[in-house]
Amino acid sequence: EVQLVQSGAEVKKPGESLKISCKGSGYSFTSYWIGWVRQMPGKGLEWMGIIQPGDSDTRYSPSFQGQVTMSADKSISTAYLQWSSLKASDTAMYYCARRSEYWIDGNLLSYYMDVWGKGTTVTVSS
Amino acid sequence: SSELTQDPAVSVALGQTVRITCQGDSLRTSYASWYQQKPGQAPVLVIYGKNNRPSGIPDRFSGSSSGNTASLTITGAQAEDEADYYCKSRDSSVQEVFGGGTKLTVL
């Protein structure tokens, strides 16, 4: 079974650091990019960025560039999302998802996220 | 602000057909993908590409596209289809972006 298993809920104080994880199984982990998605309480989905676990190439949304760091350890099929200094506004659910490609006649036409983790709740409060 | 625009809320009578739309310039050159999210659950992919359903997604879900608008159509909506629906595509910087989401109510 193809799945992404995320680490458990976290409760942190402002200024603390945090690293959450996303472990893939049931497929070739380095064959797909892994994306991260934020959902703040009561709000919509926000695309944060993606990482290619094979070479750790990363692409960040401008909104999240410099705010978080994505990394991966291909030897254990795990991607990470980390913060060096949390803020209360980082309180949210964070999802990882596998990114697949849609091709027609040799043309890459779109991306889609076909496998999702169950999410990691991050609460930042003093 | 999102570069993909969705109506915040849509309602449909049980068994009727509903169309949820997503507008954005990137949709002229890229297909949207659609995600269903029920309360307390992770999003689930329901449509990708021109009109493709992952295994396990009922065939009452379909997708289409015209110009700068992508649509998700549910033909014969069921009570279990009540959820938030999000489109996703590329934005102007060749990154990816979600629409603001549409809350579907089945009456």
Side-chain angles (χ1 to χ4, degrees):
Chain A
E1 179 192 6
V2 175
Q3 60 180 347
L4 295 172
V5 178
Q6 297 190 235
S7 50
E10 301 277 0
V11 179
K12 292 289 190 179
K13 290 181 167 38
E16 291 185 333
S17 63
L18 175 64
K19 191 174 191 177
I20 63 174
S21 66
C22 169
K23 182 175 176 61
S25 62
Y27 73 99
S28 173
F29 191 65
T30 56
S31 296
Y32 296 82
W33 293 67
I34 292 290
W36 288 94
V37 176
R38 183 176 79 174
Q39 187 166 39
M40 299 177 75
K43 302 299 184 182
L45 305 176
E46 299 175 86
W47 189 86
M48 301 175 70
I50 49 173
I51 183 166
Q52 168 34 262
D55 60 8
S56 292
D57 186 9
T58 55
R59 314 284 166 81
Y60 292 95
S61 163
S63 299
F64 292 93
Q65 179 83 48
Q67 306 306 307
V68 296
T69 301
M70 297 175 191
S71 60
D73 184 340
K74 62 183 179 182
S75 70
I76 55 172
S77 300
T78 301
Y80 301 97
L81 180 66
Q82 69 181 88
W83 296 259
S84 59
S85 180
L86 286 160
K87 302 185 286 286
S89 57
D90 293 318
T91 295
M93 177 73 83
Y94 293 88
Y95 295 101
C96 64
R98 187 179 80 168
R99 189 183 81 167
S100 288
E101 299 175 346
Y102 180 73
W103 293 78
I104 291 183
D105 297 333
N107 295 306
L108 176 60
L109 295 179
S110 66
Y111 301 110
Y112 56 98
M113 293 172 140
D114 59 348
V115 181
W116 291 70
K118 293 188 184 305
T120 296
T121 299
V122 174
T123 303
V124 184
S125 174
S126 54
Chain B
S1 63
S2 173
E3 296 189 29
L4 295 177
T5 301
Q6 297 183 241
D7 291 327
V10 170
S11 62
V12 61
L14 185 68
Q16 295 304 300
T17 296
V18 62
R19 176 176 291 181
I20 298 169
T21 61
C22 174
Q23 289 189 302
D25 285 341
S26 66
L27 297 174
R28 297 183 185 277
T29 55
S30 180
Y31 287 108
S33 50
W34 291 92
Y35 305 84
Q36 176 193 68
Q37 187 181 35
K38 297 181 179 179
Q41 298 184 21
V44 172
L45 176 69
V46 294
I47 290 289
Y48 66 95
K50 190 173 184 180
N51 180 18
N52 298 86
R53 281 175 291 105
S55 61
I57 300 302
D59 61 5
R60 63 179 179 272
F61 289 87
S62 63
S64 61
S65 186
S66 178
N68 73 336
T69 302
S71 300
L72 172 70
T73 299
I74 307 174
T75 303
Q78 302 299 302
E80 61 263 33
D81 300 333
E82 186 162 290
D84 294 327
Y85 291 86
Y86 296 89
C87 60
K88 186 183 76 65
S89 184
R90 291 162 28 186
D91 76 2
S92 56
S93 64
V94 201
Q95 299 276 9
E96 297 171 58
V97 65
F98 286 96
T102 297
K103 181 177 182 62
L104 176 66
T105 300
V106 180
L107 304 171

